[in-house]
Every structure is written in C-alpha cells, then in structure tokens.
Amino acid sequence: MTLDKRMWSLMFAWAFVVVPQAYGAAVKKSESAFELRHHNNMELQLELKAVEQRCPDIAHVYALDERSVRGFPLWVLELSDHPGTHEILEPEMKYVANMHGNEVVGRELLLALADDMCSKWRAQDEEVQRLINSTRIHILPSMNPDGWQTATQAGGSDYLIGRSNNHSVDLNRDFPDLDRVMYGNEARHLPHNNHLLDHLRRLDLHPEPETMAVMNWILTIPFVLSANLHGGDLVANYPYDASRSGAPQEYTASPDDATFRMLAHSYADNHPRMHDPHRRPCVRGDMTFGDDGGVTNGAAWYSVKGGMQDFNYLASNAMEITLELGCDKYPSQDRLAELWRENKKSLYEFMWQVHTGVSGLVRDGLTGLGLPQAVISVRNITKVNATHFRNEAILHDVTTAAAGDYWRLLTPGTYEVTASAEGYLPLTHVVTVANPRHAGAALRCDFALIPVTEDMLETLQQDVAYDDEYKDALEAAILDRLRRE
C-alpha cells in the first residue's frame, strides 16, 4: 500500500468512526445545524447523515456501487415516505451535481435542498409532505469528489482545474455515445428508439468508475425525471446534446422536444435571472439565453458526444435536463445564500414535473399480474382548430417497470397511448392531459392486455381486411371467450 493510500485509509477511518461520534449530539437535535458554506468531501457525507438522523422516517443515505478513482464513495440521499423501496405507481426522480469537480454551486444547493426538505417535513409543511409522500427522490450532491478536491486545493479560481476526474477524464464526455446509434436507426428507418445500450456493438473506451457507478444507477432504478447541475453559464439545457450532422452548433430536436422545453421552462421560469431577457452574457460576445426564456437545446449551444443527459434519455426512461447555475463556477462562500434563494423555488418546481403526463399499470387481462418491459407508445392527436387535429407519433417509447407500472411525461393535449407486450394484443386508450399544478399524481391510464392464443393467431392471420371497429369487436369477443374458458 502506498503512502497516499494509507493516508486516505486513515482519513476514512476517522470520518466513519470518530467524527460521527463527535457529531452525534448535533444531528440528534430536532433543529437543523446546517450552514450554507463549502463542504469538503467528508463533511458532505456527514450532512447527508445528519438529514437521515433528523428525518429517519423519510431519509436514507446510500452509496453507489463504484467509488471515485481516489476512493471517495458517491453518496446519495433518498427521500421517500417508504425509503429503500420502489412503490408501485410512485415515480422516481434524481438530482446530480458536481459532475465537473470545479462547478460547485449545485453541490451546495443540493445539500441545502436536502436539509430544507427535512425541516419542512418535520414542520408538517403540506406541499413538501405531499411531494415526498408521492415521489421517491434521489440526491447525489457530488459525482466527482476527486475533481472537487483538486479544484479546491488549487484555490477554486481556475476555469478548468478540477473539471475532470482523477484520471483527467471529463465525465460528461465519458458515457456511451447512444446519439450515434439513434441517428443511425433514424437514417435506416429502424424502429429502435429507446433503451439503446443493447444496440451498441461495442464501447470505444471503458467508462471511468464514476461514470460506471451512475450508469448502473440509471439502469437499475426506474427513474422518470432527472436534472444535472452544472456551472459556467445561466440556462436550462435540454436534449439532444449531440448534433445529428456532426455540426458544432445545430438545433437537434428529440422526439420529446416539446416536453423537454416544458421541463426546462419549469426551472428557468421560476428563477429570477435565468429567463431575464436583459441579462448580460457571462463573457462578452458569448450567447445569452434570456431572449429564449432562459432555455436552450444542447446541440444548438454546442454539440457534446458522450454526455449524461442524452444517455439518460436513450438508455432508460429518464428524461434529464442540464442546469447551468451561474457564470461563476466556484463562487465565494458569502454568495451561496443568495444562490440558494435564487434556485430554491426552481428546484422544488422541477421535482413536481415528475407528476405530469400519464402513468398507470399494464397487466395481464386474465391474471391481473403486472407486465414488465411492456412498451408504451404515444401519438399526439391534439385539436389544432375547428377542423384539424394533430396526428404525430412521438417516436420515443418508454417501458414498464418490474411491477408493470409506467410513467410518460407529456405536455398538455390529447394523446393516443398504446401498450404492447410480446404475446399480447396491443391496446390503445385516448387521454387528455391537463397537468394541473402540483397534483401529486399524473393522469391515470391503465391497460389490461389480452394474451394471444393459437386460435386468435389463426383468426388474425386470415386474409381478411377489417377496420378498427371490427378489430375492437373481435378483441372483445376473444376476451369474453377466454374468460368463459
């Protein structure tokens, strides 16, 4: 063992044994001892544990599967009315910060958010209690503790020092490039538009441990919504991050462009400066986003390959945006309170967006058992005027979780929602999404799918042309016969 490794081992032993004992008296108090300041990597863990001890009925601290290069755990705080478990029909969302180690505002804001939610829960704040009772929230304040250490030791004043991890890798360029897979599928008119990691033939490089930890996290938990907190500008950025043509700047809309813009605006519109059309750019001559309401398409700003934002969208059901929280990446400590005041409302408002769109259960129509990995497809048929309706398929499907529950974020409008699963007849419902503010649950839309039998296959394979009305009648008759049998 090298001297450096022995030193870190001693530091971890001190953090896990000595400090919690000394700190115990403070965290057992009912009042919060939290202070808005720059917390080091040891203190970050202690602040999360303090929330867990003050609010044990809703808070749980855990670490991701992999540690950083230098051995720091990647600590996550979970807030839920049943921490540690996925509840059927309860959506899950996450906040991730400090992916670039020298961008520290998000790191401190997430610690403040965790403390604030715990305090409001204890004070029986109605809105926070409804949010926590209806949502499973995961908070990762630092994805790159090594970079934070490097940036801090260098004085926190350099625009690049500490940005990367301890292998000098930019973690926001280190995820598998699924945009390339998606754009290839589009060019070949292939129907594969989601969960594309299986379609990637090989990884060009083995991801860093911090990247692998977050990839496994994304693929293990059925996240619906996510935000990645950065610094260096002031804007809410949405997919796609990588341009289709390879151009350095090119608006590259995803199939969910309207929904992503809604999510980005939910943050920017509640921030006092982000959407200000008179705000000056961070650097003279750079882009300013106030004229666009404080939001931007990622590739229209600058194209990024291997980013975490697009990986979420193309490898899982999670819809992630990237939040740039200010020009100063490592502001002085006395500015943190002001930054918390600016972002507090937006951080809360964004979490509520996990309850927009539709959600429900997809079950076997005979047994009632949930169907995992069923596919949810959506077509926008919203009325445009007295004579015209949209007829636009949103070419990005989501899949059901292990118990058959699903969530599909959507803007207000009318949609055909179709559930399909191997071995079952697909079923379509028409729904009208309104997205009432802070409803605590998305519009419910359940499906009971009919299993396909050999008799049904013979019937359906007959050389007979039938319209949708006949098909509905046929499916109803088959279901009635199966129930009688």
Side-chain angles (χ1 to χ4, degrees), residues 32-34 51 54 110-120:
S32 169
F34 180 76
V51 172
R54 287 177 57 230
L110 291 189
L111 290 179
L113 177 66
D115 176 77
D116 192 67
M117 294 186 76
C118 174
S119 295
K120 283 184 166 59

Side-chain angles (χ1 to χ4, degrees), residues 98-155:
N98 203 208
M99 183 184 203
H100 291 147
N102 64 334
E103 298 171 12
V104 305
V105 173
R107 171 185 173 114
E108 302 306 329
L109 293 188
L110 291 189
L111 290 179
L113 177 66
D115 176 77
D116 192 67
M117 294 186 76
C118 174
S119 295
K120 283 184 166 59
W121 173 272
R122 294 178 62 91
Q124 298 184 344
D125 180 275
E126 182 180 346
E127 286 249 315
V128 169
Q129 289 198 334
R130 283 201 301 121
L131 181 60
I132 292 176
N133 284 333
S134 62
T135 320
R136 191 179 180 203
I137 301 159
H138 303 254
I139 296 173
L140 172 60
S142 181
M143 183 179 166
N144 187 4
D146 296 357
W148 182 92
Q149 191 80 22
T150 300
T152 302
Q153 290 172 347

Side-chain angles (χ1 to χ4, degrees), residues 305-367:
K305 291 183 179 180
M308 184 168 71
Q309 175 174 269
D310 288 6
F311 179 84
N312 272 270
Y313 184 57
L314 296 175
S316 75
N317 292 330
M319 297 182 72
E320 178 170 282
I321 66 171
T322 301
L323 301 169
E324 301 282 346
L325 299 179
C327 301
D328 193 347
K329 293 185 175 186
Y330 204 130
S332 59
Q333 192 158 285
D334 59 3
R335 289 198 57 222
L336 293 178
E338 173 193 357
L339 290 165
W340 167 239
R341 287 192 296 271
E342 284 188 343
N343 287 277
K344 180 178 178 179
K345 183 178 180 182
S346 294
L347 287 166
Y348 274 105
E349 195 64 35
F350 184 78
M351 288 188 283
W352 281 108
Q353 302 309 302
V354 78
H355 295 292
T356 57
V358 295
S359 66
L361 286 169
V362 180
R363 291 174 166 152
D364 184 300
L366 299 181
T367 67

